[in-house]
Amino acid sequence: MDPRPFVIFSWEHFLGLALSLGCGGALVLAMRWAASRRLDLAARWLLAAGCVGSELYLLAWWWWQGVSLRHVLPLHLCDLSMLLAPIALLAGSRLAYELVYFWGFGGAMQGLLTPNIEWGFPHARCICCFAAHGFIVASALYATVVMRQRPTPRSLLRAWLVANAYALLLIPANWAMGTNYMFLIEKPATPSLLDVMGPW
């Protein structure tokens, strides 16, 4: 039996949004008022493990499906955010925080609002998509609200420069591998905010 297709703005989409954003938001609010260093460290490790675990699970799932490795490398900005979030949360890296903040709220939020998935709940891809993007947003929110880090105008400039420098490196890599990381070659097949932009 084929899995059901994912329908944007359906009940399962809103449920995924509510769970991914609601659980992350609840954790941040709880830890904002908790005066426990031990709980704070546990929450940071939980978010870090969630980010890395989501990425590893997705890679393993694609490998199990027989998809070529070059098509599932962690090279999208959201993949990088999942790997940078633990550095921001556990090591307190300022640059990692800035990238996760802007890429998380700018990219992962779009990944939640317009998911690039074909199959609906309870398919593993559907669950992992909402969990992974939810962990990124929760990590950015946690570092901002609980750890009290703050972005600055220079943070925006740094995040913009890093993203564009990275894109310049990805363009020839995409051409060489026949891939579409960062959607630099073509827009995603599923609806997204990129549809309101001009042709690629």
Side-chain angles (χ1 to χ4, degrees):
M1 180 178 176
D2 292 334
R4 293 185 307 102
F6 179 81
V7 179
I8 193 170
F9 303 136
S10 61
W11 69 268
E12 62 186 342
H13 187 186
F14 290 119
L15 178 61
L17 282 172
L19 288 174
S20 56
L21 296 178
C23 291
L27 175 66
V28 170
L29 287 176
M31 295 311 303
R32 176 67 178 85
W33 302 111
S36 170
R37 172 76 176 162
R38 182 175 296 178
L39 285 177
D40 171 51
L41 191 58
R44 293 189 203 189
W45 274 102
L46 173 67
L47 291 172
C51 287
V52 175
S54 296
E55 187 64 39
L56 291 176
Y57 174 82
L58 193 55
L59 287 172
W61 186 85
W62 281 121
W63 174 81
W64 182 258
Q65 299 301 309
V67 177
S68 173
L69 180 63
R70 73 176 188 272
H71 290 289
V72 295
L73 294 171
L75 297 179
H76 282 293
L77 287 187
C78 286
D79 295 313
L80 294 184
S81 296
M82 282 190 278
L83 301 177
L84 287 170
I87 300 173
L89 292 166
L90 301 176
S93 167
R94 177 71 189 175
L95 179 59
Y97 163 71
E98 292 170 344
L99 297 179
V100 172
Y101 180 89
F102 288 106
W103 295 355
F105 287 123
M109 278 300 296
Q110 184 178 171
L112 288 170
L113 294 173
T114 57
N116 183 30
I117 50 177
E118 301 84 15
W119 307 295
F121 183 83
H123 197 279
R125 274 283 288 125
C126 180
I127 295 172
C128 192
C129 175
F130 283 101
H133 289 94
F135 275 119
I136 297 171
V137 174
S139 297
L141 197 59
Y142 193 94
T144 303
V145 175
V146 181
M147 298 171 63
R148 300 176 187 272
Q149 298 208 45
R150 294 292 184 272
T152 66
R154 288 186 178 183
S155 302
L156 176 59
L157 177 61
R158 277 190 289 268
W160 182 83
L161 287 172
V162 171
N164 280 275
Y166 179 61
L168 287 176
L169 295 174
L170 266 188
I171 291 173
N174 276 327
W175 286 337
M177 296 188 293
T179 53
N180 189 30
Y181 292 112
M182 273 184 73
F183 304 114
L184 294 172
I185 305 302
E186 60 183 358
K187 298 177 185 181
T190 53
S192 74
L193 291 177
L194 297 178
D195 292 336
V196 304
M197 300 176 69
W200 250 218

